Amino acid sequence: MKNEWWKNAVIYQVYPKSFYDTNADGIGDLPGIDAKLDYLKELGIDAIWISPCYLSPQIDNGYDIADYRKIDPMFGENSDMIKLIDDAHKLGIKIIMDMVANHTSDKSSWFEESRKSRDNYFSDFYIWKDPKADGSEPNNWGSNFGGSAWTYDETRKQYYLHYYGKQQPDLNWENPKVRQAIYDVMRYWKAHGVDGWRMDVITSISKNQKFPDNDNPHHLKYVVGNQDNGPRMHEFIHEMNQEVLKPFDMMSVGEAPSSKSKDARLLVDPKREELNMIFTFEHMHVDRKPGDVNGRWAIQPMDVVQLKKTLADWQYNLDGHGWNALYFENHDRARTPSRWGNDQDYRYESATAFATVLHGLKGTPFIYQGEEIGMTNPKFELSDYEDIELKTNYQKLVEQEKTISSSNFLKAARKISRDNARTPMQWDNTKNAGFTQGKPWFKVNPNYRDLNVAADIKSSKSVFKYYKDLIKLRHRNPILEKGNFELLLPEDKSIFAYSREWNGEKWLVIANLSDTKQQVELLKDYSGYKDILGNYASDNEESILRPYEAKILKNM
Ligand code: GLC
Ligand code: CA
C-alpha cells in the first residue's frame, strides 16, 4: 500500500532567511528552524517545506542554486540540515525540500564549465543559441525579471536562455545527463532522510525546440509567455517519477504557473505517475486586470465570485483524478488580510475567514510562515524593497516602457509584491520582533510591537489558535479529506459557501468575505446544524453573517 500521508496533512512553509536567526548575523538559519520545531508541533502541522537553503549567491533568495548538495554557510552546514531532518522526524514532522530544477545559478560549476566551450561535458547542460545575423537575440522571449530571456556570453559567442534573472540560466532538460544529475541530487537528500519535494516552476522544464517568437500584441521588444507545459514536460516528469519519486516514496508538489484544472488532471492523476499535487496560480489572479500590458502589476479589487469559481473548478475537475494543493500565501504572494481582507478593522476576522474557506476544501492545505498569526503587508517605500522581481519590473515598466506610473506601481507593490511575505517572522515585541539579535537582512514590519506570536497566542482573538483548531479538525474528521464538495451561492458577491458530505455526515463551510454585514437566507436551511468552529465569540441573529464572519456547521 502506498503511504499517502500527505492527503491528511497540513504543510507549513518556512522561508529560512526570514524565519529565525540563531547566530545574530541578521539572517534566519537552519538551527533557527530547529529551535522552533516545538512551536510548529504545537500548531499541529505534519510537514515543513523549506524554501531553498543550498549554496547560492542569493540573487533570487536561494532560487539561484550554485551547489545542490551543499547548504549555504549563511544557513548552516549540511550537518545542520541532517540534524533538522532527524529532530523533525522525532516529533513526527516530515521535511520537504525545494528542488529548483528549471535553472541553476550562473555560479554553479555546471554553468561555469558550460560557458567555457562548446564541446565539454557540461556544454549542453544549458540552452545555448547562436545570435541572429545582426547579432541580436535568437528570439523575442522575455525574462520574468525584465528584459530579454537571452544573455550573450563573450567566451562561447552565444546566447544562453534564462526565464528568470540572467544569473539563473535554464537547464537543458533535453540532455539526459542533466536529468540524471537532478535525480541524483534528489537521491542524495533522500539518503539524508528528506520526505519529499516542492518543485520550483517544474512545468517550465521542457522548451519548444523550434524556439518560435512569442505573439506580440503590445509591440514590445521582448515578450514574456509560453514558458509552461512544453512538448516533453509530461515525459520528463514521468521519468523523474519513475527514477526517484516512486522508488524512494517521496511526496511531490509542483509549481505550475499557467496550468488550468484540465492540465492538472494530467499532472496529478495517480495513474499517470507524475506528481502528487501542483500549485495552481489561477485563483491568485482574481485581483489582476486580465490581458493588461503590466501583467501582475495591473491590480483591481478582488472578485469573490471569480475566486469561488476558480477554486470550485479545481475541486470538481480533480475529484477522482488527483489531489489539490491549497494555498493563499507563500513567499511569492502577499499577506491575505492586506491583499484580499481588511488588515485595519478586521485583521483577525479576515485572516481566519480566508483560512476557513481554504482549509475546508478537499486537498492539502499549505500555511506560509506568519500566516498562522495573521501577519500583514508592510507599507514600504520603493527604496525599502529588496526583491529582484520587483526591481527589474520597475525598471522595465516604469522607467523603460512607461506603461505604469511610479505611484501606481508602488500601490500595486504594497498590495501584491513578493516582498510583502518576506519580512522577518514576528515572534515577540522585543527588538527586531525577536527574529534576530543582529541587524535583520530585511526590514521588520513595524507593526511587530502589537502583532507577534507571543501576543497572538495570549489574545482572545488568536489567529494561531484558530489555525490550530482548523488543523485538528482535518486530522480528526475524515470528511475533510474524503468528503464530496459542492459550491453553494456561486453568484453571491460576498459569501463563500460550500458543503462537504461523507458517510451520512454533512458540513457547511461558510464565510462572509466582505466588511459589511450580510443577510444569508441559505443559513435557514441549516438551522438544525451545530457550530463546530467560528471566528466570532458571541452568537448572532439567525441568518446574519457579520464582517468576515466564518463558521463551519455540521449536521447532528
Ligand atoms: C518560483 C519561486 C520564485 C522564484 C522563481 C524562479 O516561482 O517560487 O520565488 O523567483 O520560481 O526560481
Ligand atoms: Ca543566522
Side-chain angles (χ1 to χ4, degrees), residues 20-29 74-75:
Y20 184 56
D21 174 24
T22 55
N23 63 348
D25 65 354
I27 301 168
D29 41 49
M74 82 157 73
F75 294 125

Side-chain angles (χ1 to χ4, degrees), residues 15 60 63-64 100 103 145 164 168 198 200-201 255 257 281 330-332 418 422:
Y15 197 63
D60 187 19
Y63 284 91
D64 48 322
V100 188
H103 47 268
F145 293 168
Y164 293 86
Q168 295 166 289
R198 178 265 184 185
D200 194 60
V201 290
E255 192 192 25
F281 282 32
N330 63 37
H331 65 293
D332 295 330
R418 310 195 303 176
R422 298 176 179 185

Side-chain angles (χ1 to χ4, degrees), residues 40-278:
L40 296 175
K41 185 71 197 169
E42 173 67 23
L43 179 58
I45 51 98
D46 302 275
I48 308 173
W49 148 28
I50 306 172
S51 277
C53 45
Y54 317 92
L55 189 72
S56 163
Q58 299 285 318
I59 294 294
D60 187 19
N61 285 329
Y63 284 91
D64 48 322
I65 298 173
D67 186 344
Y68 293 98
R69 284 184 174 73
K70 193 171 166 22
I71 295 298
D72 196 290
M74 82 157 73
F75 294 125
E77 311 267 337
N78 282 31
S79 57
D80 292 311
M81 186 71 209
I82 294 164
K83 179 171 186 311
L84 174 59
I85 295 173
D86 289 347
D87 290 348
H89 284 173
K90 278 181 206 140
L91 294 174
I93 295 175
K94 297 198 161 38
I95 297 286
I96 313 294
M97 289 181 92
D98 207 318
M99 168 45 71
V100 188
N102 178 67
H103 47 268
T104 67
S105 159
D106 61 343
K107 298 289 181 289
S108 156
S109 60
W110 299 354
F111 188 71
E112 285 179 339
E113 290 302 314
S114 187
R115 78 193 318 175
K116 275 185 190 158
S117 73
R118 298 183 187 201
D119 52 13
N120 68 62
Y121 183 86
F122 293 97
S123 299
D124 295 331
F125 263 52
Y126 297 84
I127 300 162
W128 294 96
K129 289 272 168 251
D130 290 332
K132 281 194 182 151
D134 65 355
S136 64
E137 297 88 0
N139 64 26
N140 71 358
W141 292 2
S143 149
N144 288 302
F145 293 168
S148 171
W150 298 95
T151 290
Y152 188 70
D153 181 82
E154 277 302 334
T155 314
R156 272 185 71 146
K157 308 247 180 283
Q158 282 184 310
Y159 283 94
Y160 64 88
L161 181 68
H162 52 86
Y163 280 169
Y164 293 86
K166 63 174 187 300
Q167 307 90 339
Q168 295 166 289
D170 279 40
L171 285 163
N172 176 20
W173 272 70
E174 300 290 323
N175 180 350
K177 288 183 205 142
V178 166
R179 307 204 296 269
Q180 287 303 329
I182 293 292
Y183 307 153
D184 244 14
V185 172
M186 295 167 78
R187 292 186 193 103
Y188 172 83
W189 286 109
K190 174 68 198 183
H192 292 303
V194 71
D195 300 285
W197 296 94
R198 178 265 184 185
M199 310 212 155
D200 194 60
V201 290
I202 194 67
T203 49
S204 301
I205 54 179
S206 164
K207 274 77 180 174
N208 182 340
Q209 294 300 300
K210 298 198 182 87
F211 296 90
D213 275 335
N214 280 330
D215 291 345
N216 194 357
H218 298 291
H219 309 290
L220 304 171
K221 195 160 178 208
Y222 308 111
V223 193
V224 183
N226 291 319
Q227 297 178 343
D228 298 318
N229 308 340
R232 298 183 69 189
M233 174 189 76
H234 289 296
E235 178 196 335
F236 294 155
I237 295 177
H238 177 69
E239 182 184 85
M240 176 194 296
N241 178 296
Q242 302 300 297
E243 292 269 348
V244 278
L245 297 173
K246 187 177 166 182
F248 298 108
D249 193 19
M250 295 196 276
M251 186 220 88
S252 57
V253 52
E255 192 192 25
S258 21
S259 291
K260 306 271 186 230
S261 57
K262 69 168 185 350
D263 307 307
R265 272 169 83 143
L266 299 177
L267 283 161
V268 301
D269 189 327
K271 289 202 281 294
R272 295 172 51 89
E273 306 199 314
E274 294 186 22
L275 300 170
N276 296 138
M277 300 174 256
I278 59 170

Side-chain angles (χ1 to χ4, degrees), residues 304-320:
V304 172
V305 173
Q306 196 54 43
L307 180 71
K308 294 189 287 188
K309 233 195 198 142
T310 312
L311 287 171
D313 170 70
W314 282 72
Q315 292 285 302
Y316 290 130
N317 274 322
L318 263 58
D319 199 31

